[in-house]
Amino acid sequence: MFNAFPLMIIPFVLYNLAMLGLMGSGGLPALKNDVVVLSMISGAIWSMSLGDLFIVLALCVLFFEILKATRNGGGSLANHMLSMLVFIAFLVEFLLVQDAATQVFFILMTITLIDVIGGFAVSVRSAGRDVSIGL
């Protein structure tokens, strides 16, 4: 069951919660609020906004999605189909919802596209290695 669940839906849901104002205060402007601010040894101030945190989360999720794609078997095909549906949801929302037309959402959508293409490529490549011909 877990193998068929597309993890890229997590950043999608989190972004939509932030867009609706259910995460923090102020709705979409909350994406620009700093969640981490650190003073570096060099004296510089490093900060990470909520939108940047979503991108980092999506990249971590992409790593686990690619790992899941290396396994062949139950749920693999369902995962690919559901990942494609998540990408389509990203694309439709990006094109039709005004608050989704941001750089953060576009980067999340691109990460999801890489997940779909990479998942298919890794699965096809690893499935080719599993074929054995008995002589």
Side-chain angles (χ1 to χ4, degrees):
M1 175 66 183
F2 176 73
N3 197 30
F5 181 75
L7 298 176
M8 289 304 293
I9 202 162
I10 295 168
F12 182 75
V13 169
L14 289 176
Y15 185 92
N16 281 306
L17 289 174
M19 187 173 64
L20 295 173
L22 300 176
M23 179 181 260
S25 62
L28 204 54
L31 290 178
K32 295 180 180 167
N33 293 345
D34 290 336
V35 291
V36 177
V37 178
L38 296 174
S39 179
M40 307 302 285
I41 295 173
S42 66
I45 302 294
W46 177 78
S47 63
M48 177 182 281
S49 68
L50 184 61
D52 297 335
L53 188 61
F54 285 169
I55 292 170
V56 170
L57 174 71
L59 289 170
C60 293
V61 167
L62 176 64
F63 171 74
F64 288 109
E65 282 287 341
I66 297 298
L67 283 180
K68 282 184 3 181
T70 61
R71 287 191 253 152
N72 289 328
S76 181
L77 184 60
N79 183 20
H80 293 317
M81 290 188 302
L82 292 173
S83 293
M84 178 63 82
L85 289 176
V86 170
F87 171 70
I88 291 169
F90 264 103
L91 183 61
V92 168
E93 187 167 334
F94 180 71
L95 295 173
L96 299 179
V97 177
Q98 185 176 7
D99 286 342
T102 65
Q103 293 86 350
V104 171
F105 196 81
F106 178 78
I107 293 169
L108 293 174
M109 182 179 67
T110 304
I111 292 170
T112 305
L113 176 64
I114 292 169
D115 169 39
V116 170
I117 294 170
F120 280 123
V122 168
S123 291
V124 167
R125 185 85 171 167
S126 62
R129 292 185 186 153
D130 287 343
V131 174
S132 61
I133 301 172
L135 296 175

